Amino acid sequence: MANPVFFPSTTPNFNLPMLIPGQAQKEFFVNQAFAMIDSVAKRAILGSMQNPPETPGEGSSYRVTAPATGDWEGKEDAIACYIAGAWQFLVPYNGMTVFDQAAGRMLHFNGTWRSANAPASASGGTHIDQEARQALEQLVSALKAIGIFADID
């Protein structure tokens, strides 16, 4: 006889609610999970902010920055999703990447949110090879910061 399978009450990655036998108001939990998935499936946020916007749109999402205030207090680094008139929060996981539409840049989470800055362009000088090396070193460092290259130094 096979051992019974027991499911946890939430999903492992986004902590979305799972249905359990005999659960009342199942549609609430399913709809909440769908709305949260819809908020982050696009892998983009409207921006990074310390406090909630005054009039958020349904389904809008933001990265919460420190020091968070108002309804976002204590939710630093989370993705805040406005669903059915209330804020829901997704805790980021290592490897999560989103596009910050306001800043026009990718953000990568690895213990903290990071983005790569483009290296300064080489200009002038008599040792062009040295400048090119420095630019490449800056590029490599930037790519390391977002986890593209492993930091093995």
Side-chain angles (χ1 to χ4, degrees), residues 14 34-45 59 61 79 81 90 96-98:
F14 284 118
F34 283 155
M36 291 175 77
I37 290 168
D38 182 69
S39 293
V40 297
K42 62 186 176 191
R43 300 184 59 95
I45 56 172
S61 56
I79 302 294
C81 306
L90 294 171
M96 183 180 205
T97 302
V98 297

Side-chain angles (χ1 to χ4, degrees), residues 20-56:
I20 54 176
Q23 180 175 1
Q25 298 181 341
K26 291 179 189 215
E27 66 279 358
F28 172 80
F29 293 93
V30 170
N31 290 342
Q32 178 189 22
F34 283 155
M36 291 175 77
I37 290 168
D38 182 69
S39 293
V40 297
K42 62 186 176 191
R43 300 184 59 95
I45 56 172
L46 293 175
S48 300
M49 303 168 59
Q50 295 175 328
N51 51 354
E54 290 185 28
T55 55

Side-chain angles (χ1 to χ4, degrees), residues 58-115:
E58 180 67 21
S60 61
S61 56
Y62 300 86
R63 177 177 66 109
V64 180
T65 60
T69 62
D71 290 342
W72 292 358
E73 188 172 344
K75 302 293 186 184
E76 287 84 357
D77 285 338
I79 302 294
C81 306
Y82 194 71
I83 301 167
W87 291 105
Q88 303 288 323
F89 298 93
L90 294 171
V91 177
Y93 56 88
N94 286 340
M96 183 180 205
T97 302
V98 297
F99 183 75
D100 184 323
Q101 293 174 329
R105 64 180 178 181
M106 297 297 294
L107 297 170
H108 182 79
F109 189 83
N110 191 11
T112 187
W113 289 103
R114 300 176 186 189
S115 65

